[in-house]
Amino acid sequence: MGIKWRHWASPAALLALVLPAAAGCDSAPAARPKPTAGPSMSVARVCAEPAAGPAKAPAGAVTVDPAVTGDLAAKTKSNPPHTTFWLRPGKHRLERDRYAQVVPKEGNIYLGAPGAVLDGRKTNQYAFGGTARDVTIRYLTVQAFVAPRDEGVVNHDSADGWTIEHATVQNNSGAGLMAGARQQVRASCLRGNGQYGMNAYKAGGRISGLVVEGNEVTGNNRDDWERRRPGCGCTAGVKFWAVDGADVRGNWVHDNRGAGLWADTNNNDFRIEDNVLEANDGAALIYETSYNAVIRKNTIRRNNWVEGRKYADRGDNFPFATVYLSESGGEPRVRARTDKIEIYRNVLEDNWSGITLWENADRFCNSPANTSSGDCTLLVKDTARCAQPAIATAPLYTDCRWKTQRVDIHHNRFVLDKSVVGCTVKCDRMAVLANYGTYPDWSPYQGERVAEAITEKQHNRWHDNVYVGPWKFVAHDPSRVVGFGQWQGTPYRQDAGSTYRAQDGG
């Protein structure tokens, strides 16, 4: 699928080339949060409490019989666009050909009766495909399909305008859902899929107007793709690629293997709000080589215990965080509802570390270290322009880089009890840093240029936050670990108006 490879561990791998690794094991024995029983606030609990579909066929609907193999695909083919289909209770099956699938027509609506399941029998790759617009799927369980890696089961071809509501998409290989422009995914259970709950990726184009609201996203990446393909960057509860405009709100994203939410490569204009992100093995949220976002009023707890501990145990001193911004920032020249990344009114409790702002000095358009190979920033259309001698001068010196800039972190509450997390050190970091630029040999960003810029010149600011627990702060590079007083003082001048109360967490 032309996926652009990227992995959370890459910054540390690059740092290992220029910084000595710490020796020994600095964390407690491996542990992970217990499976989550439920959030304490009002949020999606749709997997255990799914909404029931219509018990009778709506007027004018075509009835689909589970006793007839392939009935759904056949009736879809024989009826005109804008037809409503009602699936009777029971297991509906497609023909046994691996490529057998339902190919909707424009405006079709698929409604599941209580107990209606479309089952791929671990044989069919795709459930719903094709390019028809404005298709709706409601109250239907879709399970046991075997999409290949990076491909999806529902909306396989990333058609535009689809609505998925009150659906359960579970126990499939690959991604449960793909996404197109104006797609709305609401009140659905995306559970136990082999790679992603949803992979918001559209081959050859950008996705706009995406809404992800009130869903439960849990237990995804069951097939552990980061272990099978180290460094692939191909997992998350939900992954976003080149999405221009997304509202992600009111979701319960928990117990996924790897990151909960991951926006990767030229995403822009996100609002991530009122979610509960908890007990994911990796970061709750990664926002990478992307632009302009509001991240607010989320409850973020007990994330990153598995991945953070893994890197600490092997002596890695990179501050792996539960909210990780990598080469991402505000850019007024890219149109959005905000011109910065604003992170505010969130509660982060007992995660493995807090927020890290990172910028890889060696990663830019046309660099061999750009793991989003072939991609450039939204400010430069021709990647080949980012080469010597032009890249060393304005405007390309600035425009060829994804920059972690204009990040405003305020009015958040950060709570850490190390006895809950089960760690001694390295789980207590808040950070803004870069590596020492070395590569390639023609790079104009060598040395400490990027580290100095992200720390002091790119308008990244913490202020008016509350800290409870033994927090430490990392500035400029991983070797500079400072206390709260130094963090507030010269030259960093961070967290004006914030309060800090150390608490013995064991």
Side-chain angles (χ1 to χ4, degrees), residues 78-423:
S78 63
N79 280 279
H82 302 282
T83 298
T84 296
F85 299 89
W86 178 72
L87 285 72
R88 290 183 183 275
K91 281 192 177 180
H92 297 253
R93 297 178 175 88
L94 303 173
E95 299 293 343
R96 284 197 173 272
D97 184 285
R98 63 188 294 192
Y99 298 112
Q101 59 191 285
V102 181
V103 182
K105 297 173 182 175
E106 182 175 336
N108 280 1
I109 298 173
Y110 297 87
L111 302 176
V117 176
L118 180 59
D119 191 284
R121 294 181 286 183
K122 298 294 183 182
T123 299
N124 308 113
Q125 291 189 351
Y126 317 120
F128 293 90
T131 59
R133 295 173 177 255
D134 303 327
V135 172
T136 297
I137 299 170
R138 291 192 178 104
Y139 305 110
L140 181 64
T141 294
V142 180
Q143 65 184 30
F145 287 80
V146 287
R149 178 175 58 87
D150 300 329
E151 298 186 36
V153 169
V154 175
N155 198 8
H156 167 259
D157 298 291
S158 302
D160 295 339
W162 284 39
T163 298
I164 296 96
E165 290 182 329
H166 303 293
T168 297
V169 184
Q170 64 182 9
N171 302 328
N172 303 286
S173 299
L177 307 180
M178 300 299 286
R182 299 180 290 103
Q183 180 157 303
Q184 298 184 39
V185 184
R186 289 193 166 96
S188 292
C189 171
L190 309 181
R191 173 173 59 189
N193 296 291
Q195 189 177 7
Y196 305 104
M198 183 172 74
N199 185 18
Y201 173 82
K202 188 177 180 72
R206 292 176 65 76
I207 296 170
S208 61
L210 180 63
V211 174
V212 182
E213 181 176 22
N215 305 286
E216 184 174 350
V217 183
T218 182
N220 296 290
N221 188 26
R222 186 191 61 231
D223 294 336
D224 200 4
W225 278 103
E226 300 289 352
R227 180 187 57 80
R228 296 170 66 178
R229 295 180 62 90
C232 74
C234 60
T235 60
V238 180
K239 190 80 183 273
F240 305 89
W241 311 81
V243 174
D244 188 11
D247 291 307
V248 183
R249 57 180 175 251
N251 302 284
W252 182 22
V253 182
H254 66 97
D255 296 290
N256 294 286
R257 177 178 282 158
L261 303 174
W262 189 345
D264 188 353
T265 310
N266 286 337
N267 297 279
N268 174 53
D269 195 14
F270 271 53
R271 287 193 175 177
I272 301 170
E273 57 190 355
D274 296 315
N275 302 285
V276 174
L277 311 175
E278 64 182 328
N280 297 291
D281 284 3
L285 170 64
I286 303 175
Y287 205 70
E288 179 181 1
T289 53
S290 294
Y291 302 88
N292 301 326
V294 172
I295 302 165
R296 64 186 177 190
K297 297 189 290 183
N298 301 286
T299 298
I300 302 172
R301 58 194 176 205
R302 299 186 299 122
N303 296 282
N304 202 30
W305 288 17
V306 174
E307 293 193 4
R309 190 183 315 275
K310 176 175 68 175
Y311 290 105
D313 283 353
R314 73 184 192 189
D316 199 320
N317 65 344
F318 187 81
F320 291 97
T322 202
V323 175
Y324 178 49
L325 272 61
S326 177
E327 297 89 31
S328 292
E331 175 51 75
R333 292 175 291 173
V334 176
R335 182 177 296 181
R337 290 168 286 184
T338 181
D339 61 3
K340 59 186 176 180
I341 293 182
E342 190 171 14
I343 304 174
Y344 69 99
R345 294 182 62 189
N346 303 285
V347 175
L348 285 81
E349 181 176 358
D350 292 331
N351 300 285
W352 189 283
S353 287
I355 298 175
T356 285
L357 309 186
W358 159 258
E359 193 171 328
N360 178 354
D362 300 326
R363 187 181 190 188
F364 53 92
C365 302
N366 211 25
S367 167
N370 176 21
T371 49
S372 294
S373 57
D375 284 290
C376 199
T377 68
L378 294 180
L379 303 174
V380 179
K381 294 183 179 180
D382 182 3
T383 302
R385 293 177 60 208
C386 296
Q388 288 287 13
I391 193 173
T393 60
L396 293 181
Y397 181 84
T398 293
D399 292 353
C400 289
R401 289 196 65 80
W402 290 276
K403 289 175 144 184
T404 303
Q405 64 179 6
R406 298 172 59 84
V407 181
D408 189 6
I409 302 168
H410 64 93
H411 293 95
N412 303 285
R413 181 176 176 85
F414 302 105
V415 178
L416 176 63
D417 184 338
K418 288 185 176 180
S419 68
V420 173
V421 180
C423 67

